[in-house]
Amino acid sequence: MRSGAAGISLIVAETNDQLQGFERGRVLEKVGQHGQDTRELFFSDMRVPVRNLLGEQEGLGFYQLMEQLARERLAIASVCSGMAEAAVLEAIRYTKEREAFGKPLIGFQHNRFALAELKAEVLSIKTTVDYCVQSYIDGRNDPATASMAKLIAADKGVSVVDRCVQFFGGYGYMMEYPIGRAYAAARVNKIYGGTSEIMKEIISRSL
Ligand SMILES: Cc1cc2nc3c(=O)[nH]c(=O)nc-3n(C[C@H](O)[C@H](O)[C@H](O)COP(=O)(O)OP(=O)(O)OC[C@H]3O[C@@H](n4cnc5c(N)ncnc54)[C@H](O)[C@@H]3O)c2cc1C
């Protein structure tokens, strides 16, 4: 039996409740993204036909996964970019509508400046993501560039959504408002698809 990366192969498991060795864990109670159910899947001594191997030969699984990770990271970066932009648009809308001390929230210079900063940050996230998506389309996407897109879009995106919550006061902390749900949903972007620390590790290999 091969060890390390060479010992990994991708195999399609055609699962159903009768398949011996296959088990679904309970639905995990996530902080956000409640529209998706997330579970652990267990494969214990499960037997699958040899023909279910993905690819030409055994032992390529690690490399097959690596090939697709850059694309997954770009997809997550794009989601972060959209999420940050939507949060800022929602905050602009709300600050024009909600009044405090006799004027709309956006009438206070502090809030206008904060929104101006957020709008500029969203442009910087979008520009980075667009550049990386174009690299992907041109076949120039490498793991370090995709990791840079995810690192910047996730870290900045989460920060933008967090600061947008503030304009909503107490409403911002309620799950019944889109901004509250965005806050809870955003955080995982710094974790899944490879954590921000792992993104830095990958980028550092290109130095
Ligand atoms: C909602 C959700 C959905 C998910 N969906 C999927 C999925 O569909 N498929 C899938 O395969 N996985 C999925 N995951 C798993 C996810 O990719 C992992 O949780 C993530 O990669 C982090 O791995 P870990 O949880 O083992 O953390 P760990 O590896 O234990 O890391 C813990 C901490 O240590 C840090 N750390 C680890 N190594 C280093 C290092 N070398 N240098 C510095 N810091 C380090 C990490 O950055 C992190 O901060 C999902 C997770 C969540 C929360």
Side-chain angles (χ1 to χ4, degrees):
M1 186 141 109
R2 299 181 213 184
S3 63
I8 298 173
S9 302
L10 298 186
I11 302 162
V12 175
E14 292 171 278
T15 56
N16 59 47
D17 291 335
Q18 277 81 51
L19 186 68
Q20 227 179 357
F22 172 67
E23 214 181 320
R24 293 182 182 87
R26 67 184 168 86
V27 175
L28 298 165
E29 206 176 323
K30 300 196 296 297
V31 169
Q33 302 198 349
H34 298 151
Q36 295 174 9
D37 61 344
T38 302
R39 302 166 182 250
E40 286 174 293
L41 303 176
F42 300 99
F43 309 94
S44 315
D45 296 328
M46 197 180 78
R47 299 191 73 82
V48 287
V50 171
R51 66 171 182 276
N52 284 18
L53 177 74
L54 280 179
E56 301 295 309
Q57 62 191 74
E58 282 184 39
L60 298 179
F62 183 78
Y63 307 99
Q64 289 166 317
L65 287 171
M66 288 297 120
E67 253 178 49
Q68 295 303 322
L69 274 178
R71 186 187 160 114
E72 182 191 8
R73 286 171 184 154
L74 268 187
I76 294 174
S78 304
V79 169
C80 293
S81 171
M83 197 180 53
E85 185 171 27
V88 172
L89 289 175
E90 184 65 3
I92 293 170
R93 186 197 61 73
Y94 186 74
T95 52
K96 286 181 177 171
E97 173 194 302
R98 166 76 171 158
E99 293 194 0
F101 299 99
K103 56 179 174 178
L105 291 177
I106 202 164
F108 297 96
Q109 190 190 48
H110 176 274
N111 293 334
R112 271 199 316 278
F113 277 19
L115 285 166
E117 224 168 66
L118 288 164
K119 189 170 177 176
E121 275 185 51
V122 165
L123 180 63
S124 80
I125 300 170
K126 280 172 69 172
T127 309
T128 306
V129 172
D130 284 353
Y131 168 80
C132 295
V133 169
Q134 190 60 53
S135 305
Y136 179 80
I137 292 167
D138 297 343
R140 292 183 289 109
N141 185 51
D142 60 278
T145 310
S147 296
M148 285 188 241
K150 182 176 184 278
L151 176 70
I152 288 180
D155 282 10
K156 279 188 181 290
V158 169
S159 160
V160 166
V161 173
D162 178 31
R163 284 178 286 154
C164 284
V165 167
Q166 197 67 17
F167 297 108
F168 292 78
Y171 283 170
Y173 200 62
M174 303 296 154
M175 288 302 253
E176 64 196 86
Y177 291 93
I179 194 69
R181 292 197 295 277
Y183 177 68
R187 187 59 177 82
V188 77
N189 289 296
K190 289 166 67 166
I191 298 173
Y192 65 15
T195 62
S196 292
E197 292 73 27
I198 295 301
M199 294 307 101
K200 290 177 198 171
E201 182 62 41
I202 294 167
I203 298 162
S204 72
R205 288 178 202 153
S206 72
L207 300 179

